[in-house]
Amino acid sequence: CAFAELSAAGMESEAVALFHLDWPVKCLHDGLPQAYAARIDTFARSCNLFGGLVILPRRRICIALRGTNKSIDMWEQRIRTDQVDVNSKGRPCRERMLVALLRSSVVSLLVPSDDTFRRVDASSWKSLVEAVAGRVGLSQEVTGGALGPEVPELPSSVKYAANRTAVFLDGKRFPLCLNDNDAVAVDEPLLGAPSQQRPLGRGEVVPVVGEPAKRPGLFGGLFARCIFGLLSAEESELLIK
């Protein structure tokens, strides 16, 4: 049969881990580069792990691993610290968006009949859960719980209105923050009356985590800024209450 229950003695040193790449929408839309997929496969084989790279195009990129805890730790360290891809400027980069979803050492795991590491392309959320579960011998219930709610499909058509005041996703219009005409007025004391608001400037850039770089990067000050004095002491108390 395809699966068999493992004895407690045979599972003492084995573990299962599930990760996914929490990439921005544009990266998910572009898909996983072949060279990067090959690097994930190479790392898994060199660490004596089996499982699979399971991809639901434009929705989820999952990596399921099975082996010893030490081997899984080794794989995770390599994928986070080695140069695995190139950025938009063609420079080598590390993976910063790897998210651990599950690590299990339960002795009642099932044994997959295929003890290799390979890529699987899923066609639906259901087939994604089935493929991830099958590659490492997890139950579909546990796998589905680790993956969380079904992720909606990315829009197939993206268009912008003039001056990017709105975006049309599959024909449906969504106003953007640059559009003052669609701004919503909220009657909330904590936010203050518009007539009493004053500009606080652009704020200070948030540096890239773990790197003392002076220039802001994609995961730091390019989009993230710290604004001091945004709330008064009274407003802070109101927020806490």
Side-chain angles (χ1 to χ4, degrees), residues 31-43:
L32 185 69
Q34 290 295 330
Y36 191 0
R39 184 64 64 92
I40 292 174
D41 182 287
T42 299
F43 286 175

Side-chain angles (χ1 to χ4, degrees), residues 59-72:
R59 294 172 73 182
R60 206 40 126 215
I61 300 174
C62 297
I63 304 163
L65 302 171
R66 182 158 176 167
T68 64
N69 275 300
K70 183 178 180 181
S71 295
I72 294 174

